[in-house]
Amino acid sequence: MSETQILLSIGGIGMLALASQWLAWRLRLPAILFLLFGGILAGPLLGLLDPQELFGPLLFPFISLAVALILFEGSLTLHLSEWREIGKVVHRLVTLGALLTWAVISLASHYLLGFSWDLALLFGTLTLVTGPTVIAPMLRVVRPTSAVANILRWEGIVIDPIGALLAVVTFAFIVSHGDGNAWGESLTTFASVIVTGSLLGAGAGWAFGIVLRRRWLPEYLHNFASLAAVLGIFITANLLVHESGLLAVTVMGMWLANMRGVDIRPILHFKENLSVLLISGLFIILAARLDVQALLALGPATLALLAVIQFVARPLNIALCTLGSSLGWRERALLAWIAPRGIVAAAVSAIFALRLEQQGNEQAHLLVPLTFLVIIGTVVLQSATARPLARLLKVTEPSPSGFLIVGANPVARAVGKAIQGLGSQVLLTDSSWENIRAARMAGLPTYFGNPTSQHAEAHLDLVGLGHLLALTPSAELNALACMHFRHDFPGNRRFTLPTGTDGKRSDKHRSSDEVRGLPLGDHALSYPQFASRLARGDEVRCTTLTQAFDWNAYTTLHGKRATVLLARAPNGWLHLATQPLSFIPGTGWTLVALIETEETPPYKAVEEDPAAT
């Protein structure tokens, strides 16, 4: 290829990856669909992209290093402290359920497709994992009950690194056995892969954790050092014992994630952004290498395999793992339907297929197209049918009425506590650990992190949330949150408190009204004013109107001392206050307002404590 062709091909991959990610964001669908379809279109169908010709001998090393980084990033999210919190059903899904799914898919691929037992077992490990990148967009569309949503979300998060680890171990055994060695030598080789990968990974994780904990590196070098460490350990492990590199980087990530006193958040954010870049390019390259003719040559057997995965493996898995749980049959039926395959399956299958092809395995070239077929089949089928099925089974959440509150500062906590007192769901997000800790001490659900991060895309649970309150002292963060979530919350459900700088800036330095939320409160109220009033003793109170104490009596009593924030109607609907007030409260309405407390108000009997409402 000429230099111009190489540049055009690389630039085309970048543009196609960006377009795929944008479409996924716009349509709220898993990005993997558009990446795979884009790669197939550019490669086998149109012949515009030939990765082998483009990268030559660099293709295999690039894929290997990219998969190592993807697995390392996934293992950074596996916190053992969360193992006790995920519930009995999820425990079973990622242990007994995973083994059952592995067995069913392995049997089906062996008998339906004629795979050797080695390849069938490997294919079973690759296609048993789901993942947060495909589950999270689907949950936002389906909006199932919280029990179903939490099980699916936690299963996707936890089984990702566990499934990758299982696939790596299985592949190590296949390679050691496939070299023609006797069983004793194969087991010895297999054990050396496990021991070398585990020891090097644990040692590297501990050593790098010590470096971070003792601040032997400046902060601006943490991301670069972590990248260099992962690549170095991957290469070193493979040089010592062939095929132990992937296991080493997975163990390294798990060790770092669970090491005390080590803050991996900046590294995790960097790796998430890097993973988006690598995954986008990698999937297009892999899809462009698909052997469509070989896949079509298998005929109807591939559809039979898909049917087994969808209608046999998953239902058996759910039946076993939910045995004795409090879930009803409707919830179990929806759980049995939703299990899309995702990133780990596609990424790991590519590197394993290339390794096996180099060793002369005649069926290895089918591993990647079959894995992609399972991904496309499960994601397309379930994305199109999960929402109607959830409605038919009556396991969808009602119209979301909860609140995502950006900020966990005193203002956000006061508003969140009052809303929670009305019986509505709240979730506070903040990057300040002190604020998050105070919110948790107050009994408020929290997400520790930036709500607009890539990590939040996969882990932030928006099920049941229908309003956004941007209540931080940063005008830029409030505007960013309102823009980021504009497809999740309509314009009349995004609210904010103006900051002190908003009024001082001219139009050309202030965010436009289109990207900012609606101002909260029936009187002009800024964040500094709200915080100052709370500091001097003002309170956020809930007051229920009665026939004796109606709206006129309320306004006469409090006047301008009360800034109404929101109100709950007798039918349960929540109305947020703006200027001018868009509703007239009547009997039975409950008002939430910030009230000055210099004077002791009469009618104390109808004033309610927020926590007791």
Side-chain angles (χ1 to χ4, degrees):
M1 296 182 70
S2 66
E3 181 180 348
T4 301
Q5 289 176 315
I6 293 175
L7 292 175
L8 287 175
S9 297
I10 294 177
I13 292 174
M15 292 301 297
L16 185 56
L18 178 61
S20 300
Q21 291 284 357
W22 181 84
L23 275 174
W25 165 76
R26 188 71 179 169
L27 301 178
R28 313 306 292 176
L29 290 173
I32 192 172
L33 272 181
F34 303 99
L35 293 168
L36 293 181
F37 284 135
I40 293 173
L41 183 65
L45 296 184
L46 299 180
L48 299 176
L49 177 62
D50 185 352
Q52 196 68 52
E53 184 181 1
L54 176 62
F55 293 99
L58 293 177
L59 179 62
F60 182 71
F62 167 74
I63 294 176
S64 301
L65 295 176
V67 171
L69 289 169
I70 292 170
L71 291 184
F72 175 71
E73 188 270 328
S75 62
L76 283 176
T77 64
L78 187 58
H79 297 278
L80 298 180
S81 60
E82 297 174 345
W83 187 254
R84 297 183 295 273
E85 304 173 9
I86 61 177
K88 183 185 297 185
V89 173
V90 180
H91 273 272
R92 293 177 180 175
L93 283 172
V94 299
T95 52
L96 294 176
L99 292 176
L100 177 61
T101 303
W102 181 19
V104 172
I105 296 177
S106 299
L107 288 170
S109 56
H110 174 71
Y111 289 108
L112 291 176
L113 303 179
F115 275 11
S116 65
W117 279 114
D118 287 350
L119 201 63
L121 289 172
L122 180 59
F123 181 72
T125 62
L126 294 173
T127 52
L128 66 85
V129 294
T130 57
T133 55
V134 286
I135 285 291
M138 193 174 294
L139 290 180
R140 290 175 185 170
V141 175
V142 177
R143 292 215 323 266
T145 57
S146 58
V148 174
N150 287 333
I151 289 173
L152 289 173
R153 185 169 57 88
W154 273 109
E155 180 194 11
I157 293 171
V158 177
I159 204 172
D160 227 355
I162 290 178
L165 188 61
L166 182 62
V168 170
V169 171
T170 303
F171 178 72
F173 179 77
I174 291 173
V175 170
S176 63
H177 180 57
D179 288 337
N181 300 328
W183 270 97
E185 295 181 10
S186 298
L187 291 176
T188 302
T189 305
F190 172 67
S192 64
V193 170
I194 301 300
V195 172
T196 303
S198 300
L199 290 180
L200 273 180
W206 175 82
F208 192 64
I210 293 296
V211 171
L212 296 178
R213 182 193 293 169
R214 298 184 179 178
R215 303 183 185 278
W216 289 346
L217 283 174
E219 289 188 6
Y220 75 91
L221 287 180
H222 285 186
N223 291 333
F224 176 69
S226 66
L227 178 62
V230 171
L231 297 182
I233 288 300
F234 173 74
I235 296 170
T236 302
N238 276 340
L239 289 176
L240 291 177
V241 178
H242 202 48
E243 307 303 346
S244 63
L246 293 179
L247 179 60
V249 297
T250 305
V251 174
M252 178 182 174
M254 292 172 60
W255 190 282
L256 275 175
N258 294 278
M259 192 170 177
R260 291 184 178 180
V262 178
D263 184 10
I264 63 168
R265 287 173 296 165
I267 296 174
L268 184 58
H269 293 161
F270 169 70
K271 287 296 186 293
E272 287 168 352
N273 294 330
L274 184 62
S275 290
V276 172
L277 176 64
L278 291 174
I279 289 168
S280 301
L282 185 62
F283 279 11
I284 291 174
I285 292 171
L286 296 178
R289 295 184 71 252
L290 285 179
D291 189 348
V292 179
Q293 296 300 325
L295 185 62
L296 294 176
L298 291 174
T302 55
L303 298 179
L305 177 64
L306 269 177
V308 169
I309 293 173
Q310 182 70 47
F311 299 107
V312 178
R314 183 63 175 181
L316 284 177
N317 183 350
I318 295 301
L320 172 65
C321 297
T322 59
L323 194 64
S325 70
S326 59
L327 295 172
W329 71 268
R330 298 174 185 271
E331 294 169 315
R332 297 184 191 195
L334 187 60
L335 285 172
W337 185 253
I338 300 178
R341 272 54 177 183
I343 286 172
V344 169
V348 180
S349 67
I351 183 70
F352 289 169
L354 287 172
R355 297 277 194 188
L356 292 175
E357 284 180 20
Q358 289 180 343
Q359 293 186 350
N361 190 304
E362 297 179 355
Q363 296 176 314
H365 68 286
L366 296 175
L367 198 59
V368 173
L370 270 176
T371 303
F372 281 14
L373 177 68
V374 171
I375 293 171
I376 295 172
T378 55
V379 173
V380 171
L381 175 63
Q382 295 168 25
S383 296
T385 59
R387 178 63 177 168
L389 179 62
R391 287 177 174 174
L392 180 65
L393 294 172
K394 299 180 180 179
V395 288
T396 56
E397 288 283 353
S399 180
S401 59
F403 290 77
L404 174 65
I405 301 179
V406 181
N409 48 67
V411 171
R413 295 197 300 270
V415 174
K417 195 66 179 176
I419 295 174
Q420 189 182 58
L422 294 177
S424 293
Q425 178 184 352
V426 295
L427 178 64
L428 279 65
T429 73
D430 206 306
S431 294
S432 166
W433 174 246
E434 289 74 16
N435 287 339
I436 289 293
R437 180 172 56 188
R440 291 179 180 177
M441 291 293 290
L444 294 166
T446 62
Y447 170 79
F448 180 39
N450 188 332
T452 64
S453 66
Q454 185 68 28
H455 183 272
E457 281 285 335
H459 298 82
L460 186 61
D461 184 9
L462 298 181
V463 174
L465 305 180
H467 303 83
L468 173 69
L469 298 182
L471 304 180
T472 77
S474 169
E476 288 75 17
L477 179 56
N478 292 340
L480 176 62
C482 290
M483 278 291 292
H484 181 78
F485 291 105
R486 67 185 183 275
H487 295 296
D488 297 288
F489 309 102
N492 61 351
R493 292 194 175 190
R494 300 194 303 268
F495 297 84
T496 189
L497 287 174
T499 63
T501 58
D502 284 339
K504 300 177 183 178
R505 294 177 174 175
S506 63
D507 289 342
K508 69 177 183 178
H509 297 295
R510 186 173 59 241
S511 300
S512 68
D513 294 338
E514 294 181 357
V515 302
R516 290 184 296 170
L518 299 173
L520 181 64
D522 66 335
H523 297 140
L525 182 67
S526 68
Y527 177 89
Q529 291 171 337
F530 201 132
S532 177
R533 290 178 59 176
L534 286 179
R536 71 170 185 248
D538 292 0
E539 297 177 353
V540 177
R541 295 183 186 175
C542 295
T543 306
T544 301
L545 302 181
T546 64
Q547 290 184 350
F549 185 69
D550 58 10
W551 173 242
N552 291 330
Y554 182 89
T555 55
T556 301
L557 171 65
H558 295 297
K560 293 185 178 180
R561 295 191 305 110
T563 301
V564 178
L565 304 174
L566 68 146
R568 183 185 64 187
N571 61 5
W573 282 94
L574 293 175
H575 303 264
L576 277 83
T578 55
Q579 304 170 49
L581 199 62
S582 59
F583 55 88
I584 303 297
T587 301
W589 284 59
T590 300
L591 306 178
V592 176
L594 176 64
I595 300 178
E596 294 182 15
T597 56
E598 285 106 355
E599 301 175 13
T600 302
Y603 304 102
K604 192 172 183 180
V606 297
E607 295 286 350
E608 303 176 6
D609 183 81
T613 303

